[in-house]
Each structure stands twice: as C-alpha cells, then as structure tokens.
Amino acid sequence: MSDALARPTAAGPAPTRSNAIVAVLAFAGIVVALMQTLVIPIVPELPRLLDASASNTAWAVTATLLAAAVATPVVGRLGDMYGKRRMLLVSIVLLISGSVVCALADSVVPMIVGRALQGLAAGVIPLGISIMRDVLPAERLAGSTAMMSASLGVGGALGLPSAAFIADNFDWHILFWTSAALGVVSFLLVLLLVPESDVRAGGRFDLVGSLGLSAGLVTLLLAVSKGGDWGWTSAGTLGLGISSVVILLAWGRYELRSSRPLVDLRTTAKPQVLFTNLASVALGFSMFAMSLVLPQLLQLPEATGYGLGKSMLTVGLVLAPQGLVMMVMSGVSAAVTKAKGPKLTLMIGALIVAAGYGLNIVLMSEVWHLVLVSCVIGGGVGFTYGAMPALIMGAVPESETAAANSLNTLMRSLGTSFASAIAGVILAQMTTDFGGYALPSENGFKVVMAIGAGAALLAFVIASFIPKRRTTVVGAADSPAEAAEVAKA
C-alpha cells in the first residue's frame, strides 16, 4: 500500500451522493476564493469611491488577511469539537454577512468591517477537506481532496476576470451583491446535500490559546503587511515584530502545558506534519510571487519596453486558464498520490512551479508567454495543493483533521504574506524612471521570479525530508487492529 490516507474503510455514501458532496464542497471553496480576488479591480479606485485616503482604504485588503489568519485555526478546532459541517455553515454565513455589509457600504469603515467578515470565512476549504475524510469512501478521497484544494486557485483565477468585467460595466456594489448571492446558494447546497460528520474531538475550547495565537498572528502580519508603508525600521514595525515573537513563544509554552490545546504542537512536530507545513510556507511564498508579477507586466505601458499595456479585464483573461489547468492537474495529482504517495506528488509539483518561474525569466515579452507561464505554474500548484492535505491527514487522528488542515492552510497564507512584503521591497528598490515616475524595472521583476523559483526549489528540498511512509495513528482507522494492518502496508 502506498502513502494513502488513513481513514475508516466503511462503504460511505452511494456514488451519486458522493459526487454531490464533492461538487458542493468544491463550489463552496470556489466561492470563498472568489471573495479574495473580488476587490482587486477596484483597489486603485477605492479612495475615490469611499472618499478616504489610500492608506485607509488599503485596510480593506489588510483586514481580510488578518481576519483569515485568526479564523482559520480557530474555526478548524471548533469544527473538530462541535461539527465540521456546522462550522462550515457558520463560515458561509459570515461570508454572506460581510458581502452584504460591503454591498451597502459607501464609506471606508463599513467596507473594512465587511471585508473582515469575509475573511472570517477562510476556513471553508480546510473544513471541506476534513468533511471529505470523514464521509467519503476511501477510494474517492485522494481525488476529492485534491479537487477541493485546487478550488482555491480555480476561484481566484476565474474571479479576477469576472470581477474586472463587473467593475468596468456596472456599479461596483454589484461585485458584493454577487458574492452574497453565491454565498446563499452555497449555504443552501451544503445544508441540503452535505452530511454532518460523527467524528468529534470533544473537550473544552481553548479560549486562552485562541486569543494568544490570534494576538501573535495579528501583530506578525501587521508588521509584515504594513512594514513597507510604515518603514521596516520604524518603531511601529519593530515593536509589532518583537511583540509577535514574544506572544507566540508564550503561546507555544502554554499550549504544550494544556490538556486540550488549540493546536497540538506535539502532533505538529511529527516529521510528516512539520516538513509538510514548512514546505507549505515556501510554496505559499512561491505561488504568490506570480500574482504580484504577471498583472504588473501586463498592465505597465508598452513604452517601458517590457510592459504590455493591457487592461485589468485582459489580465483576468490571461490568468483564467491557469484555474482550469489547476483543476485538471488535481486529478493527475490524485492518480500519482494513489500510485506513489503524496510525498512524490508534492516534490513533482514544486519542481513544476520552479520550472514555470524559470520560463517567466526568459519569456515575458508577449501575452501568450504569460499565459503559458501561468498555466505551467498553475499545473504545479494543482499537484502541490492535492498532496499537502493528503500528507497532513495521513499523520493525524480524524478527531484533529480540521485543526491540522487549517494550520496547513495558515502556513500557506503566511508564505503569501512574506512574499508580498519581500517582493514589494524589491520592486520598490529596483525601479526605472518613466516620465518622472518610478516604475518597477524589468530586472526587478526577474529578481522576484528568480526568488519565486528558489522558494519552490526550497519546498522541494524540504519535502524530501518527509518520511517515506506516513505516521500512522490509531483513531485514523476503525480499530487498533486496522491501524496495525495499515502500518504493515
């Protein structure tokens, strides 16, 4: 037996019902991913639309990032304790509420509040993956979790052109009414078609641990996301950075002493979980670099000599095919995982991502070059997104699935946050003069792409340290006897 996921061998729901569960959960993931790209086309216009300064309207993006970082591990743990479907429905309700608040907003404060509420729905994808582990038959699990993981990239890729089209042709509030409508559809589908899992962790919720982790993450991400604006050596940035280190160290010590921790750090320290999460940080960094570079290359004026002078709608259309490639490659990822194990799948995906960035360094002068590059990187992402939850779930008990998957999602998010900060510094330093304005230079973009390739190669190296055979746990099987049989395989 290869590095398959450990789970009960019960027959599970009928094939038709299984297909519906997978489709509904993947749709919910796509809806949440759409929320993340929804605001991108109107970010430059928000100061005018909301009659506020650019620094204040930037919080419409930052608030979503912070809320997602706080909610993901907390909602995952609550899902393990009180029901994953229940917390999935709560997350979708928060998405709908946030969308309605934004749709009614005409000033900056309600917009920030609404975007924060939308960010609180970020736990939908790890919760969906965990539900699949609990309710689907074993033979469907690898492909289904790969598809659910890929929904994040698919939604992001398809959301950008859709959002750009709506922003260009309709009132901007329609963006959020559309998000709310999709959220309602998703809620009803989950309510009607997705069963609740009987797997529960029980116990009392670790409120102190959740507050400590939230404080540590907020201070860390504020320092990373705002350091470029405030100055990396400013008192605010340094103070937040130091505070995050102190808080997270104290939080870790508390969690190790807790009988019911928010995050089981001992499980997290298992080699399979630890190296998968470290690889996830590197891959999150690498994958976000593309989102920073390609749109700017497409939109910069042609007179720069390397910009392509395209509209935001064209940017969305160029990046959209990567979502379809990602979805297709998630199926290939599942097949490789079944045959050779998720470790190899993750390593292959990391190499494909690195190859995509290598192509981008030499192919960046035509629109089709960037379509090709985005599809290659998207193919690699499809591989890695399918492998990471497989590795995590192969090493943790079912009662900790949602919390473990949520932590892995958080690791990817931290990678993207660091990518944004580092790429921002590079592009701000490596500039060229264009009509009196400083624009990122061609070499600046190439440096960012080289770093993206390096991060993917780092993920490959880290993944090589993942144990060849997963850590098997009693509780991921119906009985100790079954766990022993799996361990022998």
Side-chain angles (χ1 to χ4, degrees), residues 300-308 432 434 439:
L300 284 173
E302 290 185 79
T304 59
Y306 52 90
L308 299 178
T432 183
F434 183 76
L439 297 179

Side-chain angles (χ1 to χ4, degrees), residues 22-68:
V22 174
V24 168
L25 292 175
F27 177 72
I30 289 172
V31 170
V32 170
L34 286 170
M35 173 272 300
Q36 296 184 357
T37 56
L38 196 67
V39 76
I40 291 177
I42 62 171
V43 165
E45 299 296 320
L46 282 178
R48 177 181 62 83
L49 296 173
L50 301 176
D51 191 24
S53 66
S55 61
N56 285 336
T57 57
W59 283 96
V61 176
T62 306
T64 309
L65 169 70
L66 298 178

Side-chain angles (χ1 to χ4, degrees), residues 238-297:
L238 292 176
L240 286 170
I242 294 170
S243 297
S244 70
V245 173
V246 173
I247 292 171
L248 290 173
L249 287 174
W251 169 81
R253 184 176 182 181
Y254 174 83
E255 291 293 281
L256 288 171
R257 294 182 173 186
S258 174
S259 59
R260 289 285 184 177
L262 177 73
V263 178
D264 188 342
L265 295 179
R266 291 180 177 85
T267 298
T268 304
K270 291 179 179 179
Q272 183 157 320
V273 179
L274 176 63
F275 288 117
T276 300
N277 282 332
L278 291 175
S280 298
V281 175
L283 283 166
F285 186 104
S286 179
M287 291 181 291
F288 196 67
M290 173 185 66
S291 302
L292 294 169
V293 169
L294 298 192
Q296 292 193 64
L297 284 174

Side-chain angles (χ1 to χ4, degrees), residues 98-416:
S99 300
V100 171
V101 170
C102 290
L104 296 173
D106 284 310
S107 60
V108 69
V109 172
M111 173 63 78
I112 293 172
V113 170
R115 289 289 292 165
L117 287 171
Q118 287 185 318
L120 293 176
V124 163
I125 290 177
L127 284 170
I129 292 171
S130 303
I131 290 172
M132 288 177 176
R133 183 189 190 186
D134 293 348
V135 306
L136 294 181
E139 65 272 11
R140 292 293 310 274
L141 194 54
S144 300
T145 55
M147 181 175 293
M148 184 70 192
S149 294
S151 67
L152 179 61
V154 173
L158 298 180
L160 190 56
S162 303
F165 176 79
I166 292 173
D168 286 346
N169 294 279
F170 303 97
D171 180 82
W172 65 274
H173 293 90
I174 299 296
L175 289 169
F176 297 101
W177 286 120
T178 302
S179 175
L182 290 172
V184 170
V185 172
S186 178
F187 179 89
L188 293 175
L189 289 174
V190 171
L191 189 65
L192 294 172
L193 297 174
V194 177
E196 181 60 273
S197 166
D198 294 329
V199 180
R200 303 286 175 86
R204 180 179 296 179
F205 180 68
D206 182 10
L207 179 60
V208 174
S210 68
L211 292 175
L213 180 59
S214 298
L217 289 173
V218 168
T219 51
L220 173 63
L221 290 174
L222 269 178
V224 171
S225 61
K226 291 296 184 180
D229 295 331
W230 297 344
W232 292 105
T233 58
S234 68
T237 303
L238 292 176
L240 286 170
I242 294 170
S243 297
S244 70
V245 173
V246 173
I247 292 171
L248 290 173
L249 287 174
W251 169 81
R253 184 176 182 181
Y254 174 83
E255 291 293 281
L256 288 171
R257 294 182 173 186
S258 174
S259 59
R260 289 285 184 177
L262 177 73
V263 178
D264 188 342
L265 295 179
R266 291 180 177 85
T267 298
T268 304
K270 291 179 179 179
Q272 183 157 320
V273 179
L274 176 63
F275 288 117
T276 300
N277 282 332
L278 291 175
S280 298
V281 175
L283 283 166
F285 186 104
S286 179
M287 291 181 291
F288 196 67
M290 173 185 66
S291 302
L292 294 169
V293 169
L294 298 192
Q296 292 193 64
L297 284 174
L298 284 162
Q299 290 183 281
L300 284 173
E302 290 185 79
T304 59
Y306 52 90
L308 299 178
K310 304 300 181 182
S311 67
M312 177 58 77
L313 179 59
T314 302
V315 171
L317 294 173
V318 168
L319 297 180
Q322 71 162 311
L324 302 177
V325 172
M326 205 176 297
M327 185 66 77
V328 171
M329 294 307 291
S330 68
V332 180
S333 166
V336 175
T337 294
K338 286 181 179 179
K340 300 294 183 180
K343 173 183 175 178
L344 180 63
T345 308
L346 179 59
M347 294 174 72
I348 291 172
L351 288 179
I352 295 173
V353 172
Y357 281 110
L359 278 175
N360 203 179
I361 293 174
V362 296
L363 296 177
M364 55 185 293
S365 59
E366 302 287 345
V367 170
W368 73 266
H369 290 171
L370 302 188
V371 173
L372 174 63
V373 165
S374 68
C375 286
V376 172
I377 295 175
V381 172
F383 259 79
T384 62
Y385 270 17
M388 286 184 283
L391 285 163
I392 294 295
M393 291 190 294
V396 301
E398 284 189 308
S399 60
E400 297 180 17
T401 299
N405 277 324
S406 296
L407 182 63
N408 181 252
T409 300
L410 176 62
M411 293 300 103
R412 280 181 268 172
S413 298
L414 290 176
T416 62

